Amino acid sequence: MSVDQEAAVEVTAPAPVHALEVRGLVKHYPGVKALDGVDLVVRQNEVLGLAGENGAGKSTLLKALVGLVRPDAGEIWVRGEKVRLKSVVDAANHGIGMVFQEQSLVPNLTAAENIVLGSEGRGVRRGIYRWDTMRKLAQEQLDKIGSDINPLARTETLSFADRQMVEIAKVLRIEQRSQHPPVIILDEPTSVLESKEIETLFTQVRRLREFASVVFVSHRLDEVLDVCDRVSVLRGGQSVGEVPTAGAVPATLHQMMIGSAGSDDHYHGNVAEPSDQPREMLSIRKLSAKTFRDVDLEVRAGEIVGIVGVHGSGREDVCRALFGAEPTSGGEVYLDGKKLDLSGTRAACAAGIGYVPAERKIEGMVGPMSVADNMTLAKQESRCVGPLVSPPKQAGVVDRWIERLSIRTPHRGTAIQRLSGGNQQKVVLARWLVADDIRLLLLDHPTRGLDIGARSEVYRLMRELANSGVATVLLADSLEEAIGMSDRIVVMSDGRVTSEVPCVAGAKPTPLDLVKEMV
């Protein structure tokens, strides 16, 4: 063969067929361009990370890939074929499945029903469930991720973390649905998982790489670099580049995300000294409920106390009980020297207690209501003059916090459900910041779903509130966050307080120190 013939062969050699490709995707919403010509390539048998600030366009892009959003322009190609994805079922038939950040399970169905929903196959005969077969089909998927969840348990009885594992098991059923290697999208899959569960998930992701392609989305950049082969970055609805993870560091991705250098450790360098105020703001004595017992805890004014523990330790339920959202069976709670009424959330709000729940879509916001109404929902006086709502007063308060928290919204009147998850979380947090009578703030994973810059802002606000005398109980998103932000850390295990660890500046514990106390 001549040199010219060899060159001709090279020129005509077929290009590799990608598992998924996005070309020039555009999507407009009223007042905002969510996607502005996004390009994305997912190769066969790789894990692609997708990074970007809140509002960068990640959620809109993912929804377009699973048929929930119709792009205004651009193309989507699956295994070399141009497709129009009209629904989630249509995407699944093309081998694309997604684990949503905001869970999509039906709460009154069993875990097994949710896992096989829409792909029951031999689990249904003549319209009637074959429960033993359904259980076995679900168990096959749960076994893949090492979960011991009972397939016949009602989903609403499971913890948030267990429901997340059910979501992952559900999307793996796509292997049986498509005749092609699947594309699995994981949107913030680790946001509520403990360290052991995260490692189990990463093991599963690496297994998926052997026969599938994975798109992995997380604000925890260290996780992205750990489990992904490449990372594609979005900023302002546009693709700004990609980097291989080998040798990359979080600061590299952060610089691409916001256009300047940064770190994933914002809270460590800016932590103030613990407050010197001696006044005890919160005093819990022998508090007991269904999932915890004999809990004693004190929090001083201006102090941030972190509570850590493995799944099932009872720490979340303690916070809910303090806000009147969980019934108690014994014990007493005093706030600023006065016995606290634990009968309901109304009494808690009246006493000056704020609560940011872990499940913002279920408990933290009213989706169809506007950003302004959600932000002022708990404190009506922040928007009223006398008994009537004052639009100018509400607008002034809301606009101030939209600017201060860099909430990306077309307008204060935009429905909160139209915002990205991270911006929704900032509105939920701002609900308590607009009030000037908060004495105790209960934060259950307040930075979940927030990017680096937004987390840094939340940390700063927490310290400002502490310096103003607000007592804070923090259930952190990670042990590192708990260590970085807390003045003291209380460890819970099996519903009891087992130890207390000081977090003195310059002598803070390590995550390993806490793990030893937790297990």
Side-chain angles (χ1 to χ4, degrees), residues 284-289 292-295 321-322 328 330-331 333 342:
I284 303 175
R285 304 173 186 174
K286 303 296 181 184
L287 191 65
S288 298
F292 59 87
R293 56 200 180 279
D294 298 329
V295 170
L322 292 174
T328 58
V333 178
L342 300 177

Side-chain angles (χ1 to χ4, degrees), residues 276-334:
D276 292 329
Q277 299 181 61
R279 182 162 54 101
E280 186 176 82
M281 181 63 72
L282 175 69
S283 176
I284 303 175
R285 304 173 186 174
K286 303 296 181 184
L287 191 65
S288 298
K290 185 177 180 180
T291 56
F292 59 87
R293 56 200 180 279
D294 298 329
V295 170
D296 292 326
L297 178 66
E298 290 77 37
V299 184
R300 298 188 302 272
E303 185 180 32
I304 298 176
V305 174
I307 306 180
V308 301
V310 299
H311 171 56
S313 64
R315 60 181 186 142
E316 293 88 356
D317 293 325
V318 168
C319 275
R320 292 176 60 81
L322 292 174
F323 194 62
E326 195 81 21
T328 58
S329 58
E332 296 178 332
V333 178
Y334 292 85

Side-chain angles (χ1 to χ4, degrees), residues 111-113 115-116 119-123 131-152 165-166 168-177 204 207-208 211:
E113 289 174 283
I115 289 171
V116 303
S119 59
E120 291 86 352
R122 56 192 175 88
W131 285 105
D132 190 55
T133 302
M134 290 269 288
R135 181 189 62 76
K136 291 178 180 178
L137 291 173
Q139 191 64 58
E140 289 176 8
Q141 308 308 319
L142 292 169
D143 288 344
K144 292 178 181 178
I145 54 177
S147 174
D148 59 0
I149 296 170
N150 181 359
L152 299 184
M165 302 305 280
V166 172
I168 295 168
K170 175 183 176 180
V171 80
L172 292 181
R173 280 282 293 170
I174 203 171
E175 298 175 38
Q176 282 73 38
R177 186 164 192 151
Q204 181 63 15
R207 185 194 74 84
L208 284 172
F211 61 91

Side-chain angles (χ1 to χ4, degrees), residues 134-375:
M134 290 269 288
R135 181 189 62 76
K136 291 178 180 178
L137 291 173
Q139 191 64 58
E140 289 176 8
Q141 308 308 319
L142 292 169
D143 288 344
K144 292 178 181 178
I145 54 177
S147 174
D148 59 0
I149 296 170
N150 181 359
L152 299 184
R154 290 175 69 88
T155 305
E156 62 190 357
T157 67
L158 301 175
S159 68
F160 195 99
D162 282 344
R163 294 200 300 272
Q164 185 77 322
M165 302 305 280
V166 172
E167 285 271 19
I168 295 168
K170 175 183 176 180
V171 80
L172 292 181
R173 280 282 293 170
I174 203 171
E175 298 175 38
Q176 282 73 38
R177 186 164 192 151
S178 174
Q179 300 301 313
H180 303 284
V183 177
I184 307 297
I185 301 172
L186 302 177
D187 186 12
E188 298 284 353
T190 64
S191 61
V192 297
L193 301 183
E194 303 291 346
S195 299
K196 183 178 179 181
E197 294 167 322
I198 290 174
E199 188 52 45
T200 299
L201 172 64
F202 283 6
T203 298
Q204 181 63 15
V205 170
R206 295 181 181 107
R207 185 194 74 84
L208 284 172
R209 184 197 279 123
E210 298 175 2
F211 61 91
S213 301
V214 179
V215 179
F216 185 91
V217 183
S218 176
H219 286 299
R220 300 174 179 175
L221 299 184
D222 55 338
E223 292 182 353
V224 173
L225 296 175
D226 181 19
V227 78
C228 298
D229 302 302
R230 291 183 299 126
V231 184
S232 183
V233 180
L234 300 184
R235 185 172 72 234
Q238 298 180 327
S239 306
V240 295
E242 64 176 47
V243 294
T245 56
V249 295
T252 302
L253 298 181
H254 185 257
Q255 183 170 11
M256 295 176 67
M257 287 165 58
I258 68 172
S260 62
S263 156
D264 206 20
D265 278 343
H266 290 283
Y267 48 87
H268 284 295
N270 299 309
V271 173
E273 290 295 325
S275 171
D276 292 329
Q277 299 181 61
R279 182 162 54 101
E280 186 176 82
M281 181 63 72
L282 175 69
S283 176
I284 303 175
R285 304 173 186 174
K286 303 296 181 184
L287 191 65
S288 298
K290 185 177 180 180
T291 56
F292 59 87
R293 56 200 180 279
D294 298 329
V295 170
D296 292 326
L297 178 66
E298 290 77 37
V299 184
R300 298 188 302 272
E303 185 180 32
I304 298 176
V305 174
I307 306 180
V308 301
V310 299
H311 171 56
S313 64
R315 60 181 186 142
E316 293 88 356
D317 293 325
V318 168
C319 275
R320 292 176 60 81
L322 292 174
F323 194 62
E326 195 81 21
T328 58
S329 58
E332 296 178 332
V333 178
Y334 292 85
L335 185 64
D336 205 11
K338 296 181 180 180
K339 189 173 181 179
L340 185 64
D341 179 1
L342 300 177
S343 62
T345 58
R346 185 185 297 271
C349 289
I353 300 176
Y355 174 53
V356 176
E359 301 187 56
R360 64 170 169 266
K361 276 204 169 181
I362 298 175
E363 299 179 321
M365 65 184 229
V366 183
M369 288 176 59
S370 69
V371 168
D373 287 340
N374 269 279
M375 193 180 293

